[in-house]
Amino acid sequence: MLVSQSSYNATSPNTKRYFCWFVIIHVLAWTLGPSLLRGSVTHDTLEGIAWGLQWQWGYNKHPFLTAWVCALVTKLAGTVDWPVYLLAQIAVATTFFAVWRLANKILPSLHALLATLALEGVLFYNLNSFNLTPDSLQLPLWALLVLCFYNALTTQKLRNWLLTGLMAALSIMTKYQVALLFLPMLLFCIINPKARQSFTKPGLYYALGLMLLLLSPHLLWLYQNNFITITYAFDTPAEYTHQHYPLAHVIYPLRYLANNLGNIVGLFILLWPFYRKPRENLLIGTFNWQFLLWLGLGPLLLSLLLCAMTGSHFPPRWSTPYYALLGIIVIGWLKPQISKK
């Protein structure tokens, strides 16, 4: 069955309705569940609230955005638990929205919906989604950054480039780990002929300028505080490495990979019914496939490379923002026929 790529930009009313109900149910379930079952928020979130109430442009471990958000929602609500849980699920819902919008540009409408819903099987979107930390706040910001970057590359409109610069700045304000996404973005622009045209357009440079402008207060704070958060970012892997194996440069990357596979296995279980479906001939295109693979798998591969080079233990939670594109990649590879009834 041949599907015209021109139809991929259209989102049917039914899929919009299903997507909205999915997001509403997810937010309610994962907000009420922790609120009713947990005695208190995690220590990472409490730490963020305490930092945020000082309203600084940075802290000794991370940049300021997560701390500010945690403190703001806590002060507005006058309590600590459910507002943070709700905000964490709004972050996840925003991630779903960004992925769904991108998927509809690459896949047919029903396939795009399935690729988004399958993310519910990833641990960081369910059991680990209630903890609002810099890792979890990266979820929506990375997803929105990827969406805006895709729109900027495919349209070269200044608005999309400025949104890309904004999301890049917000991602850096959350955690410097976004550098592992920036590098695949840069390499994709160098390698792909269509993306390479961006270097000859003004939009890319406006995006960089806006990003630096928005980051300037934090950069000044960094200079005044001896780049303390950057030092922490480089020293952290060693602090997590409590055991030094003779083959640490092999054991730790394999352990990190195994933990990551365990965190995403639910996605493949949810897609199990589609493994044996007859395949459609989805016209995804070379540009889209390269974009998905570079940005969808690049950060994980870079993390594995760094883990192997340093011989340090990388906690699995550092992979929290890595899998937003995984549903699109798997569905694009499976190419199942989906009934429209």
Side-chain angles (χ1 to χ4, degrees):
M1 179 178 178
L2 189 63
V3 180
S4 172
Q5 193 171 7
S6 62
S7 66
Y8 293 1
N9 293 325
T11 305
S12 71
N14 283 338
T15 57
K16 286 182 180 179
R17 184 165 58 251
Y18 295 148
F19 173 78
C20 290
W21 276 112
F22 163 69
V23 169
I24 291 171
I25 293 171
H26 173 95
V27 170
L28 288 176
W30 290 105
T31 300
L32 293 175
S35 299
L36 297 174
L37 299 177
R38 289 187 59 87
S40 67
V41 298
T42 63
H43 72 278
D44 288 333
T45 302
L46 289 174
E47 183 181 56
I49 295 172
W51 286 345
L53 292 174
Q54 302 173 46
W55 304 107
Q56 299 181 24
W57 287 106
Y59 303 93
N60 63 316
K61 290 184 179 181
H62 298 294
F64 62 91
L65 187 59
T66 307
W68 282 20
V69 169
C70 288
L72 179 62
V73 71
T74 301
K75 284 188 70 69
L76 290 176
T79 186
V80 174
D81 49 5
W82 70 262
V84 172
Y85 297 140
L86 176 60
L87 188 60
Q89 297 314 316
I90 291 174
V92 174
T94 304
T95 309
F96 288 144
F97 174 76
V99 171
W100 180 61
R101 288 293 299 270
L102 178 62
N104 274 286
K105 297 175 182 293
I106 297 174
L107 299 171
S109 183
L110 284 174
H111 292 73
L113 178 66
L114 181 62
T116 307
L117 268 56
L119 291 177
E120 189 69 27
V122 178
L123 189 68
F124 305 119
Y125 295 82
N126 50 65
L127 292 177
N128 276 14
S129 65
F130 63 86
N131 190 15
L132 189 61
T133 66
D135 292 318
S136 58
L137 192 58
Q138 287 183 110
L139 275 175
L141 294 176
W142 281 38
L144 288 169
L145 173 57
V146 169
L147 173 63
C148 294
F149 184 56
Y150 180 90
N151 291 337
L153 291 177
T154 53
T155 67
Q156 292 298 333
K157 290 182 178 180
L158 180 59
R159 176 188 62 187
N160 292 327
W161 277 115
L162 292 178
L163 287 173
T164 302
L166 171 62
M167 292 304 147
L170 292 175
S171 297
I172 295 173
M173 294 173 191
T174 302
K175 196 174 182 180
Y176 301 142
Q177 188 178 349
V178 72
L180 297 179
L181 178 61
F182 286 163
L183 182 56
M185 291 168 65
L186 174 61
L187 293 176
F188 176 71
C189 284
I190 294 173
I191 291 172
N192 184 271
K194 182 177 180 180
R196 193 160 54 239
Q197 297 175 10
S198 302
F199 292 115
T200 64
K201 308 287 185 180
L204 172 62
Y205 304 101
Y206 279 111
L208 290 173
L210 177 62
M211 181 185 74
L212 292 174
L213 178 64
L214 294 174
L215 287 173
S216 56
H218 177 64
L219 295 176
L220 178 61
W221 178 91
L222 270 177
Y223 175 76
Q224 293 173 340
N225 290 272
N226 299 316
F227 302 95
I228 185 172
T229 50
I230 294 179
T231 302
Y232 175 81
F234 281 104
D235 292 344
T236 301
E239 293 179 3
Y240 279 109
T241 308
H242 302 298
Q243 291 179 295
H244 296 277
Y245 300 101
L247 297 176
H249 295 271
V250 176
I251 293 175
Y252 279 127
L254 291 177
R255 180 180 294 179
Y256 180 65
L257 179 61
N259 287 330
N260 274 271
L261 292 175
N263 289 334
I264 64 175
V265 68
L267 180 142
F268 296 96
I269 294 174
L270 289 178
L271 293 177
W272 178 260
F274 299 93
Y275 291 170
R276 298 181 181 275
K277 294 283 186 179
R279 294 191 173 193
E280 296 190 38
N281 187 13
L282 302 179
L283 301 179
I284 295 178
T286 302
F287 175 88
N288 288 337
W289 262 124
Q290 290 183 355
F291 182 89
L292 291 171
L293 294 178
W294 276 97
L295 275 67
L297 301 181
L300 174 62
L301 296 177
L302 285 173
S303 294
L304 288 169
L305 178 62
L306 288 173
C307 188
M309 291 173 59
T310 62
S312 300
H313 171 67
F314 281 24
R317 69 174 184 276
W318 287 358
S319 301
T320 299
Y322 289 176
Y323 299 110
L325 302 183
L326 185 60
I328 305 177
I329 293 172
V330 174
I331 289 295
W333 172 66
L334 290 177
K335 305 184 181 79
Q337 288 190 23
I338 300 176
S339 173
K340 296 177 174 56
K341 293 183 179 178

